[in-house]
Amino acid sequence: MLKDLKELKNKAQEEVKQANTLRELERISKEYLGKKGELTQILHSLKDLPKTSRAEVGKETNEIREFLKAEIDKKVSGLEETDKKEEEKKEWIDISTPAPKPNLGHLHPLTILKRKIEEIFNNMGFATIEGPEVENEWYNFDALNIPKNHPARDAWDTLWLKDDDLLLRTHTSPVQIRYMEKHQPPLRIIVPGKTFRRDATDASHDVQFFQIEGLMIDKEVSAANFKAVIQEFFRQFFAKPIKVRLRPGFFPFVEPGFEIDMSCLVCGGKGCSTCQKTGWIEMMGAGMVHPNVLKAAGLNPKHWQGFAFGMGMDRLVMMKYKINDIRLFNSGDLRFLKQF
Ligand code: DAH
């Protein structure tokens, strides 16, 4: 019997040695030490042995049990250790690898070209000025010689705020008055900024858009000076010579007033669908500042004169970048924005 036990021990020991997975070791443990395991069964059958050998066999079996248990535990922790190392190897980080590039944003197309426009005018001596987006009736209409019954004051055109007198400015022209009130001529300014109208939106109209106002006041300023300034601006902005023409146009705050056209960039002035076959595109309103406007701002029209102009900045940017829908600017659509 003792000899059988010795063989059993050797056999089990060999199996443990060969095992190289936790699962195999579990099976071996079950086979020898489990409830129905071989060593457990020997212990159960001790009572059938002659009294003389019972104690010795029992002792030996228990020793083998303890030994085998220890061997299995040792092997299990050995395997667990190598598993851990394997895991760690897989998790290894190469700290010399360059980090992924951060996803940088960039300026909005309107901002890019607003800066360009400012640069061109600043170089011609015009200062960049800002004014409030919420205006009152005096600055937006009265001071600009727009009569009380003018349709522009209608609730259909202007966004009125609850407070009776306040509105979202319909143009940047009120800043002319605000600036002349506080500064003595000679002066040259441009005013880029947001403007608002109760327009139905379509490809060329939005409720919010940008304008650039211009104002030059001095002792002797003529419409010819205006034409030269604006022609030079277009030449620099579009990076090619542009023809400009002045047509008579009416705005209450200028006298005389003009509509300014530039030669169509798409067809080079020959006539196409963009310019409705005329070869010209309407770009802005302008004129010689009306004496009433100078008076409203506290200047004497006998001493001072000048020109003013106002252009749609979105329109200008659309022409430059060949964008066909004004609503894209505020759409937040990255497919559009990423192109600039
Ligand atoms: N304020 C006018 C508008 O929004 C544009 C304009 C026309 C501005 C003539 C001017 C000007 O300064 O002289 O339609």
Side-chain angles (χ1 to χ4, degrees):
M1 182 71 196
L2 286 173
K3 195 165 151 247
D4 288 351
L5 273 175
K6 197 130 199 102
E7 269 172 25
L8 191 69
K9 179 183 169 185
N10 288 342
K11 189 172 147 245
Q13 197 179 358
E14 187 57 30
E15 278 180 40
V16 173
K17 215 163 144 193
Q18 300 291 333
N20 46 23
T21 65
L22 290 173
R23 183 178 268 192
E24 271 175 77
L25 287 167
E26 203 175 311
R27 179 192 59 75
I28 297 167
S29 168
K30 207 167 158 190
E31 194 177 314
Y32 294 97
L33 309 171
K35 258 191 195 155
K36 290 189 179 150
E38 284 193 54
L39 289 165
T40 320
Q41 274 177 358
I42 294 174
L43 286 177
H44 282 319
S45 58
L46 280 179
K47 55 183 190 307
D48 307 328
L49 289 180
K51 262 202 177 127
T52 44
S53 56
R54 206 182 283 173
E56 207 176 346
V57 172
K59 188 164 161 262
E60 185 65 21
T61 313
N62 271 327
E63 272 173 16
I64 297 176
R65 263 180 71 93
E66 290 308 313
F67 169 80
L68 201 57
K69 214 164 155 240
E71 284 293 284
I72 292 176
D73 285 351
K74 227 190 319 179
K75 188 85 190 231
V76 165
S77 39
L79 282 181
E80 277 174 351
E81 192 61 26
T82 33
D83 273 6
K84 219 165 111 194
K85 281 206 183 115
E86 291 285 313
E87 271 312 298
E88 277 170 9
K89 242 193 221 158
K90 268 189 230 150
E91 272 184 25
W92 181 72
I93 296 167
D94 179 359
I95 54 165
S96 68
T97 319
K101 286 224 170 71
N103 218 347
L104 285 183
H106 62 76
L107 293 177
H108 191 279
L110 283 170
T111 310
I112 298 173
L113 288 189
K114 175 172 159 260
R115 293 187 177 184
K116 177 79 189 155
I117 294 166
E118 286 173 3
E119 187 191 312
I120 298 171
F121 278 111
N122 292 167
N123 287 341
M124 289 196 271
F126 288 75
T128 304
I129 302 299
E130 285 185 352
E133 287 166 10
V134 174
E135 264 301 358
N136 61 34
E137 244 186 307
W138 166 256
Y139 286 108
N140 198 80
F141 297 121
D142 300 276
L144 290 165
N145 201 32
I146 300 173
K148 278 269 180 273
N149 59 355
H150 194 282
R153 299 201 186 206
D154 204 314
W156 291 110
D157 295 325
T158 300
L159 289 147
W160 294 92
L161 301 184
K162 258 198 179 145
D163 194 334
D164 274 349
D165 187 35
L166 294 180
L167 53 101
L168 295 181
R169 66 177 176 192
T170 56
H171 50 181
T172 42
S173 305
V175 188
Q176 290 186 27
I177 308 291
R178 287 183 177 275
Y179 194 79
M180 285 191 283
E181 276 176 348
K182 297 219 170 86
H183 299 83
Q184 271 299 308
L187 49 89
R188 267 178 279 179
I189 58 165
I190 53 159
V191 186
K194 271 185 201 166
T195 46
F196 309 84
R197 303 248 174 111
R198 271 184 75 148
D199 272 340
T201 55
D202 62 30
S204 52
H205 294 87
D206 211 342
V207 278
Q208 182 224 291
F209 53 102
F210 285 87
Q211 280 191 343
I212 306 229
E213 190 80 14
L215 177 70
M216 175 170 177
I217 304 288
D218 208 328
K219 291 236 149 67
E220 277 181 39
V221 182
S222 70
N225 295 141
F226 164 71
K227 196 178 175 202
V229 165
I230 220 62
Q231 203 149 1
E232 177 58 15
F233 164 69
F234 282 141
R235 190 188 66 78
Q236 290 192 35
F237 184 75
F238 291 108
K240 56 175 139 175
I242 304 277
K243 268 200 238 155
V244 171
R245 82 173 178 189
L246 276 58
R247 275 186 293 119
F250 175 73
F251 302 97
F253 31 94
V254 283
E255 175 62 38
F258 327 115
E259 306 258 5
I260 317 303
D261 299 336
M262 64 173 231
S263 50
C264 178
L265 284 179
V266 180
C267 61
K270 285 195 202 84
C272 66
S273 63
T274 309
C275 58
Q276 277 138 7
K277 306 249 184 289
T278 62
W280 296 96
I281 295 198
E282 196 182 309
M283 290 307 289
M284 65 174 99
M288 300 308 290
V289 180
H290 197 289
N292 287 350
V293 172
L294 293 170
K295 270 190 230 158
L299 296 182
N300 186 344
K302 292 211 171 79
H303 297 155
W304 303 108
Q305 59 176 191
F307 64 75
F309 61 88
M311 55 185 149
M313 194 175 88
D314 308 69
R315 186 116 192 243
L316 213 54
V317 174
M318 286 166 79
M319 291 285 286
K320 172 88 179 167
Y321 285 142
K322 308 215 176 345
I323 296 165
N324 59 9
D325 195 323
I326 193 174
R327 293 166 293 191
L328 285 166
F329 288 132
N330 290 327
S331 66
D333 190 335
L334 289 179
R335 289 169 305 179
F336 168 69
L337 294 172
K338 278 184 173 163
Q339 297 176 52
F340 300 94

